[in-house]
Amino acid sequence: MISKHKTKQQLILEVAALRSRIAQLESIRGASRGISRGSDHPSSSDAVTGLPTRSMFYNKLSMILANSGRGNSPLAVLFFCLDRFKLINDSLGYGVGDNLLKMVASRLTRCMRQDDTLCRPGKDEFMLLLSDVPDKDTVILVAGRIFEALATPFVLDNHELVINCSLGICMYPDGGENAESLIKNAYSAMQQARDKGKNNYCFFSPHLNAYEFSRLLMESDLRHAVSQHDFSLRFQPQMALNDGRIVGMEALIRWEHAEFGFVSPDDFIPLAEEVGLIEPIGEWVLRVACEHYILCQKCGCAPSRLAVNLSPLQLYRVGLASGISKILDETGLKPDCLEIEITEGALLKDYSTTISTLNALYRMGIQIAIDDFGTGYSSLAYLSQLPVSKLKIDKIFVSAITKDKRCAAISRVVVTLAHNLGMRVIAEGVETVEQLDYLRDLGCDEMQGFLLARPLTVEDSVRFLKSAAKTPPLGKN
Ligand code: C2E
Ligand code: MG
Ligand code: MG
């Protein structure tokens, strides 16, 4: 048993030594090529940051693992990715992007000890090898130093840039036995950290693999659901606060999974966006919502507007306006009955395509509402440049409007802002009469929420609209 183990160790050592020799030879060859071409950067280092290459990192990690008895010298691989780097590259140019990477590399270098190794495996990714770390707490301290080092804004070309990053950590020996699995697992921990939001770190654990596996299953089920149109829509009414009339309804998608039951759109819409399924889903939602609205018109109970949510990814696609126009033609819905809801986050990327798409929609007569207003990170400048007709106060503010002065103040500011810009304002997530009264006193135009109605099935929504047409459900007090 012992001799078998030794043989394996020896083999690992030999392979690592060979890899290291190959890397050495490659770097000599790269250096001589570099010299002959007059380049300053031999291939042993990253041309932008001067950091070691991925293969050098890999070899060093393999070498350390081979030299250490299993688990005798714990180490950690940290994989991190800068958020929104592409946006910086696209909007400010590659020169600024490259300078930013250099500055990030230099700040990160200051967080390391001499024996640690930093490299840049992808354009906005860095990997750090911490050798000989006693425990998780030490790694957490280093992670804290990294976040702190990146927290000070970067000043580049007269722009002050705040950079966030997501960090995945994989510890040896618990997280993997060889260089390949340690790097792979640090990467998947980074992806999970990114799912948690900005500036998060996450340790790899075997559960992560289970998480990825269930995500894979979910992806394949979602593909199946898309091909079978296995979704349904709910419609949530919207009411005018001055006279209690039902003025609109928002279409909300539902997916009933055979095993897990109803999956929240907050969970499967981001997955659909990630795996390229959002366009067929968005098209299906719009078509079926329009058909429902036409049915309500035939029953004589249609409100004046149908609101449909649009994913930012749909918005970035050139040709969206003509796609929508085709669906309107085919279903017979008049453009001025349609309101598109987009979130502020949608305005962060690809601004020029977004602005021309929104202008094209506006010219067709379609109205544009900003959903979850106040929860995004974009500058308010866009409100003066885009044809927005309505702001939706997010339910996070509405839910605390009568209890938290700050939420009340934010809601008041949103109402004033919207009115001063000639827009309407609607509050979503209204659950109590107190909230309703408060919003009415603020001068809010419309409301939507469980107090009036939950999102309703097709049949229930027709019943609701018919009865509301006779008597307004929550009239003026
Ligand atoms: P959203 O567009 O902001 O929709 C409002 C969400 O708040 C809905 O959740 C609705 O059911 C819920 N809601 C309404 N009134 C109340 C209330 O009084 N209290 C509380 N606690 N919640 C209330 P839902 O249907 O789970 O949808 C979540 C999000 O998923 C939506 O937020 C929207 O961003 C997205 N979504 C839903 N349907 C679609 C769709 O067809 N396409 C796209 N791209 N996104 C969709
Ligand atoms: Mg919405
Ligand atoms: Mg919303």
Side-chain angles (χ1 to χ4, degrees):
M1 195 67 188
I2 292 169
S3 71
K4 198 173 169 191
H5 181 69
K6 269 192 173 170
T7 316
K8 190 178 166 196
Q9 277 298 98
Q10 280 166 348
L11 274 174
I12 293 173
L13 269 170
E14 276 170 24
V15 171
L18 272 173
R19 280 201 173 123
S20 167
R21 181 75 189 126
I22 292 168
Q24 249 178 350
L25 288 171
E26 270 178 352
S27 80
I28 292 166
R29 196 178 56 177
S32 58
R33 272 199 202 142
I35 291 161
S36 66
R37 286 182 201 154
S39 153
D40 304 335
H41 299 288
S43 66
S44 58
S45 64
D46 163 33
V48 177
T49 59
L51 294 173
T53 59
R54 185 190 173 100
S55 78
M56 294 192 79
F57 183 97
Y58 184 94
N59 292 331
K60 177 160 182 198
L61 178 56
S62 307
M63 186 75 103
I64 294 174
L65 293 175
N67 286 334
S68 77
R70 188 187 144 80
N72 281 348
S73 42
L75 55 81
V77 175
L78 279 65
F79 199 115
F80 39 106
C81 171
L82 308 178
D83 292 340
R84 299 199 296 155
F85 179 72
K86 185 174 180 311
L87 179 65
I88 290 164
N89 247 350
D90 290 349
S91 50
L92 303 177
Y94 287 94
V96 172
D98 284 357
N99 284 337
L100 174 67
L101 291 171
K102 279 183 208 151
M103 289 169 92
V104 169
S106 117
R107 286 195 196 180
L108 291 175
T109 311
R110 278 182 246 141
C111 304
M112 301 160 40
R113 295 165 309 174
Q114 212 178 355
D115 283 348
D116 299 337
T117 308
L118 180 71
C119 81
R120 188 173 71 107
K123 67 177 178 331
D124 52 358
E125 295 164 345
F126 291 85
M127 255 191 319
L128 178 58
L129 167 59
L130 303 179
S131 44
D132 211 8
V133 276
D135 48 34
K136 265 186 164 185
D137 289 345
T138 314
V139 185
I140 291 172
L141 279 178
V142 178
R145 281 213 300 272
I146 289 172
F147 284 120
E148 214 177 290
L150 298 181
T152 316
F154 291 81
V155 181
L156 283 160
D157 222 10
N158 292 329
H159 300 283
E160 201 172 83
L161 301 174
V162 178
I163 297 297
N164 299 302
C165 81
S166 310
L167 174 57
I169 304 163
C170 184
M171 306 271 300
Y172 171 77
D174 295 347
E177 293 213 326
N178 53 35
E180 211 161 313
S181 62
L182 289 168
I183 292 172
K184 182 176 123 301
N185 292 340
Y187 180 78
S188 56
M190 182 278 290
Q191 284 181 310
Q192 215 194 11
R194 202 167 45 190
D195 285 353
K196 284 204 284 182
K198 288 180 200 312
N199 281 341
N200 262 309
Y201 67 84
C202 186
F203 277 90
F204 171 79
S205 84
H207 298 301
L208 259 183
N209 273 339
Y211 164 85
E212 281 188 346
F213 185 63
S214 64
R215 225 177 133 80
L216 266 180
L217 284 185
M218 199 65 128
E219 178 186 332
S220 106
D221 293 346
L222 190 58
R223 280 190 195 286
H224 184 74
V226 170
S227 67
Q228 301 296 307
H229 300 312
D230 223 353
F231 302 104
S232 59
L233 288 186
R234 298 289 182 271
F235 293 89
Q236 190 174 33
Q238 301 172 329
M239 183 184 81
L241 287 182
N242 62 348
D243 57 9
R245 264 178 321 114
I246 301 300
V247 285
M249 57 180 173
E250 178 178 7
L252 294 159
I253 191 168
R254 293 291 176 265
W255 175 31
E256 191 173 2
H257 188 279
E259 206 178 322
F260 308 126
F262 279 106
V263 185
S264 162
D266 279 329
D267 291 329
F268 75 83
I269 292 287
L271 178 62
E273 287 172 340
E274 201 178 303
V275 302
L277 291 172
I278 195 63
E279 282 186 23
I281 292 180
E283 206 178 306
W284 180 89
V285 169
L286 181 61
R287 184 177 299 279
V288 175
C290 289
E291 286 165 1
H292 179 61
Y293 185 92
I294 297 293
L295 175 91
C296 292
Q297 270 185 335
K298 285 185 184 145
C299 297
C301 62
S304 17
R305 270 185 329 273
L306 165 71
V308 176
N309 293 285
L310 217 69
S311 149
L313 294 191
Q314 288 175 270
L315 208 59
Y316 305 149
R317 192 175 62 92
V318 181
L320 174 79
S322 57
I324 292 183
S325 165
K326 184 165 173 276
I327 294 179
L328 295 186
D329 281 349
E330 286 167 8
T331 56
L333 188 91
K334 293 209 187 75
D336 54 3
C337 297
L338 182 64
E339 184 171 75
I340 292 298
E341 291 193 5
I342 55 168
T343 53
E344 281 172 273
L347 307 167
L348 283 177
K349 283 191 209 156
D350 210 347
Y351 197 67
S352 57
T353 315
T354 308
I355 207 165
S356 67
T357 302
L358 291 180
N359 280 328
L361 295 176
Y362 176 73
R363 280 194 300 271
M364 283 160 64
I366 295 170
Q367 299 178 54
I368 289 135
I370 305 292
D371 207 350
D372 308 339
F373 186 75
T375 61
Y377 296 93
S378 52
S379 114
L380 284 180
Y382 74 87
L383 285 181
S384 62
Q385 291 156 10
L386 295 176
V388 174
S389 52
K390 192 181 195 179
L391 301 184
K392 288 191 91 170
I393 308 179
D394 190 68
K395 53 182 178 292
I396 202 159
F397 304 122
V398 174
S399 65
I401 202 168
T402 55
K403 297 192 186 94
D404 183 317
K405 279 189 186 146
R406 284 167 303 185
C407 287
I410 291 170
S411 307
R412 178 173 297 112
V413 167
V414 176
V415 173
T416 312
L417 177 73
H419 287 168
N420 284 338
L421 291 170
M423 300 168 186
R424 289 191 323 281
V425 57
I426 180 167
E428 64 180 351
V430 181
E431 294 184 354
T432 67
V433 176
E434 292 73 36
Q435 290 165 356
L436 178 75
D437 289 341
Y438 202 104
L439 287 158
R440 193 181 273 129
D441 286 348
L442 285 188
C444 182
D445 304 298
E446 297 169 16
M447 66 78 78
Q448 174 181 351
F450 295 169
L451 179 66
L452 175 66
R454 287 186 173 259
L456 303 167
T457 59
V458 166
E459 299 77 21
D460 285 348
S461 70
V462 173
R463 263 194 289 276
F464 179 95
L465 292 169
K466 276 184 179 167
S467 96
K470 288 180 209 142
T471 9
L474 285 170
K476 213 175 164 184
N477 57 1

